[in-house]
Amino acid sequence: MSEKEVRYQEFLAPGRDETQARVVHQALRHLAGGSAGGVLGEMAREVLSGRLGLDQAVRVGAYADALGECAGPLRERWERGGSGGDGDAGPGGGTPPGVR
């Protein structure tokens, strides 16, 4: 990433410890690389650059729709009782860093 990037501490919040903040930061960096498609990559780059807060990003229509598309298959597996450990995370494929 060529522009300035916020540090993981940006994602510390009440009820979220340092490890969770690091996982969020890592996941955003993974998404910024395009692992889940262009829309989520753009969202992650906006958040990591500090131009948009994570709480704001999830309320942007296009970003929320793309997140929903990725979360749909995970929700379905959860409802069926699947472990979700097969590495298929939906449209982008693969499992984000820090997720088991």
Side-chain angles (χ1 to χ4, degrees):
M1 206 166 259
S2 60
E3 58 186 280
K4 187 175 177 181
E5 181 178 298
V6 298
R7 299 178 64 194
Y8 78 89
Q9 291 91 339
E10 180 72 24
F11 306 106
L12 288 172
R16 186 179 301 144
D17 65 23
E18 187 172 317
T19 301
Q20 291 169 319
R22 287 181 187 271
V23 168
V24 169
H25 189 255
Q26 279 184 308
L28 285 167
R29 292 187 78 195
H30 187 72
L31 290 172
S35 66
V39 174
L40 290 180
E42 176 185 305
M43 178 200 76
R45 288 187 296 275
E46 290 293 310
V47 172
L48 288 171
S49 72
R51 288 188 295 266
L52 194 62
L54 186 57
D55 58 333
Q56 296 168 314
V58 299
R59 290 191 297 260
V60 172
Y63 299 157
D65 291 346
L67 286 167
E69 287 175 21
C70 287
L74 294 173
R75 188 192 76 242
E76 290 169 11
R77 259 188 280 154
W78 175 268
E79 289 171 351
R80 287 193 312 263
S83 67
D86 62 359
D88 179 14
T95 303
V99 178
R100 297 176 193 245

